[in-house]
Amino acid sequence: CGGPSGDAVAPDADARPAPRVVERTHERSHETMGTEIRLTAVSADEAAAVAAFSQVFVDFDRIDSLLSVWKPESEVVRLNAAAGVHPVAVSADTREVLRIAREVSEWTDGAFDVTFGALTGLWKFDAQDKDGSVPDPREVQARLPLVDYRRLTIDEAAGTAFLARKGVKVHLGGIGKGYAVDRAVAILRSHGLRDFMIQAGGDLYVGGLKDGRPWKLGIRDPRGSVDQLFATVDLTDGTFSTSGDYERFFFKDGRRYHHILDLKAGEPARLSRSVTLVTNKAVIADALAKGVFILGPVRGLALVERIPDVEAVIVGAGNEVVVSSGLKGKVTMLARPTDAP
């Protein structure tokens, strides 16, 4: 009594409940392109997520080796060295970044212009040369004629780029990370990841959902502490890029000097405190955020409203907050931004 009968049959294996798939959050970080790259993904397969992360980091390093002005063998360094002399063979990646840069320059009437490299060495905001000095205005004015994106030509058939005047210099610090982020999105998706976040300094892309809901992304208070937010935006499968006068700056004689230059004046732009761009391509958001910042709330917002699938939150120099029409009702204001110099 109570023992198994001789003709008992084991339950059908197919009838057993399938093992529960447990998805976990995986994170990795890597230093490159002058910033920390942070990756987050939700997946049941940790090995696949880590393999995808490793491939992304290798690709970021590869793009940095092509676009950096600080690596002597980079394609950009070679391009600048040959300015006014001859075209230079460059990779498809470099040609694509240069092509998009030219397009954004045309949208912004030259407010965004990667040939601002002619001013490097005078204005010093990169970690490698920052010294808190303000250049002689006469030296700046002497170099401004070298800032002209129309001097750059790209020959897709020949695989070359050419700067048509000696002394013209390209600097892709305002667009390169965005391009690398877009490539990272493709890599993560090719590994089957759908819910993830890529953060590269002020450039960020979110795919899918977080805990079943859109990702909630914060917009930093331009005059607050590092972790102080004034607004949030819910976003999925989109990019979010912020340019601000608080990212790389110094004070001298009570005045704030920052790295986003008004290339018509040859000095830091004064009409905005921060611009956050929301769109579907990180390379566009990265570059356009800077152009809109320089144009300021009025002209910048008008431009955003003309470009399909691009939205913005702008904090003007007077601490006013301007939100584009496509984000109305999608931005949650947490507080008024701090008002300070």
Side-chain angles (χ1 to χ4, degrees), residues 211-228:
D211 301 327
R213 303 180 57 129
W215 296 78
K216 187 175 290 293
L217 306 176
I219 303 177
R220 179 176 162 181
D221 184 333
R223 296 294 181 267
S225 59
V226 173
D227 58 353
Q228 188 172 333

Side-chain angles (χ1 to χ4, degrees), residues 145-168:
L146 299 174
V147 180
D148 185 352
Y149 69 91
R150 291 162 294 192
R151 301 278 185 176
L152 168 67
T153 58
I154 305 154
D155 188 331
E156 289 293 345
T160 62
F162 180 50
L163 295 170
R165 180 177 175 181
K166 209 169 186 60
V168 176

Side-chain angles (χ1 to χ4, degrees), residues 11-18:
D12 186 345
D14 291 340
R16 294 174 185 159

Side-chain angles (χ1 to χ4, degrees), residues 257-270:
Y257 293 88
H258 60 87
H259 74 294
I260 307 174
L261 301 179
D262 177 344
L263 299 174
K264 290 186 169 53
E267 61 178 34
R270 299 294 177 189

Side-chain angles (χ1 to χ4, degrees), residues 12-67:
D12 186 345
D14 291 340
R16 294 174 185 159
R20 183 166 174 265
V21 176
V22 179
E23 291 193 325
R24 293 186 172 87
T25 300
H26 311 286
E27 297 180 316
R28 293 291 188 278
S29 63
H30 177 66
E31 293 280 341
T32 191
M33 299 186 92
T35 193
E36 181 184 49
I37 313 301
R38 297 178 61 191
L39 304 179
T40 303
V42 179
S43 174
D45 188 341
E46 181 177 7
V50 171
F53 290 170
S54 296
Q55 188 176 338
V56 166
F57 294 145
V58 167
D59 201 56
F60 262 95
D61 287 341
R62 183 187 66 82
I63 293 169
D64 188 36
S65 74
L66 298 175
L67 306 185

Side-chain angles (χ1 to χ4, degrees), residues 100-124:
I100 296 169
R102 185 180 176 95
E103 183 176 34
V104 176
S105 293
E106 290 170 350
W107 291 350
T108 61
D109 191 26
F112 175 81
D113 188 333
V114 294
T115 63
F116 81 88
L119 299 179
T120 57
L122 295 179
W123 288 107
K124 300 175 183 179

